[in-house]
Amino acid sequence: QVELAESGGGLVLAGGSLRLSCAVSDRHFSNSAIGWFRQAPGKEREFVGAISWSGGATSYVESVRGRFTISRDNAKNTVYLQMNGLKAEDTAVYYCAAKPYSGYYYVPQRRSEYGYWGQGTQVTVTS
């Protein structure tokens, strides 16, 4: 059982920054890779980025590469999504998800690979 809780969403002006947090509770030490996904109204939930359970590897969708950064704070069992240079098209509900028993440097990118999901946090970017 892996529990996740996102926080940090809100309203931000275009060009601004926002940091999302994903608190991870992994009581069974399942070594989860953590992914970030987003879903805009009327659209499919899409992959944003992910980090391996070791923190040694990351992957990002092309549209956010260079602007978003995923990191892990092992002491706090928290994964962060730092979003810089936000654009209106980044507006969506952002979800973090966990893939337990992931490889040391494996970065899952498919929704079907993740077994646990947070409740989501709304990010709205205005011009």
Side-chain angles (χ1 to χ4, degrees):
Q1 176 69 29
V2 181
E3 297 179 358
L4 308 102
E6 305 96 333
S7 62
L11 181 66
V12 64
L13 293 173
S17 298
L18 201 62
R19 188 180 74 166
L20 305 184
S21 298
C22 176
V24 181
S25 178
D26 189 351
R27 297 181 179 181
H28 296 90
F29 305 99
S30 51
N31 299 327
S32 297
I34 303 296
W36 286 95
F37 292 77
R38 65 186 181 186
Q39 187 167 21
K43 294 189 175 182
E44 192 70 51
R45 190 171 300 185
E46 68 170 348
F47 173 79
V48 175
I51 188 167
S52 62
W53 74 261
S54 69
T58 56
S59 182
Y60 303 92
V61 68
E62 181 181 347
S63 60
V64 309
R65 194 172 298 118
R67 299 188 297 121
F68 291 10
T69 302
I70 300 172
S71 61
R72 303 185 72 133
D73 186 333
N74 293 331
K76 296 183 180 296
N77 284 342
T78 301
V79 175
Y80 301 98
L81 177 63
Q82 178 66 47
M83 304 183 291
N84 298 324
L86 284 163
K87 306 175 181 179
E89 50 263 44
D90 295 319
T91 296
V93 176
Y94 283 71
Y95 301 87
C96 62
K99 180 195 180 303
Y101 311 108
S102 188
Y104 200 75
Y105 292 107
Y106 184 61
V107 184
Q109 299 183 49
R110 299 177 293 276
R111 287 180 293 163
S112 61
E113 295 186 89
Y114 292 89
Y116 301 90
W117 296 81
Q119 82 288 347
T121 185
Q122 177 71 48
V123 172
T124 302
V125 184
T126 61
S127 301

